[in-house]
Amino acid sequence: LQLHHSGHYHCEGLVSFWWSLSAPVTVTVHGVPLSGVSLWAQPPGGQVALGDRLVLSCAVATGTGPLSFTWHRGGLGALLGTGPCLEPCHVGDNDSGHY
């Protein structure tokens, strides 16, 4: 279910020419706050040699709503990318840091 599925629902039945309505029910869909955000690196520990491949992946254990990812190095520095994975090309000395 999505948040927009909240509302009042009922069903109708027809026998011959007689319509019958059920009692209404109210459905409320609640959002779940994000939790369990985790980051992992390949290779493990993020230890790479110059020119090696590095893949950083982010996942969320629970949560609802439109989910987006942004990548930053050194706190809230410049935006490096979006999406659940970041793969810097041609890893160099300037790629060291906290992500």
Side-chain angles (χ1 to χ4, degrees), residues 32-38 59-64 67:
V32 176
L34 294 180
S35 66
V37 179
S38 60
V60 175
T62 61
T64 56
L67 183 60

Side-chain angles (χ1 to χ4, degrees), residues 4-92:
H4 71 271
H5 290 115
S6 294
H8 304 287
Y9 291 84
H10 72 273
C11 63
E12 300 176 356
L14 174 67
V15 176
S16 294
F17 296 102
W18 299 98
W19 280 99
S20 182
L21 288 164
S22 70
V25 65
T26 300
V27 173
T28 305
V29 180
H30 299 279
V32 176
L34 294 180
S35 66
V37 179
S38 60
L39 167 65
W40 69 94
Q42 184 61 38
Q47 300 297 315
V48 294
L50 283 172
D52 278 356
R53 182 175 181 231
L54 171 66
V55 178
L56 300 173
S57 300
C58 188
V60 175
T62 61
T64 56
L67 183 60
S68 62
F69 298 89
T70 60
W71 290 93
H72 306 269
R73 183 175 57 238
L76 293 177
L79 177 66
L80 301 175
T82 58
C85 293
L86 177 69
E87 189 171 348
C89 295
H90 309 293
V91 175

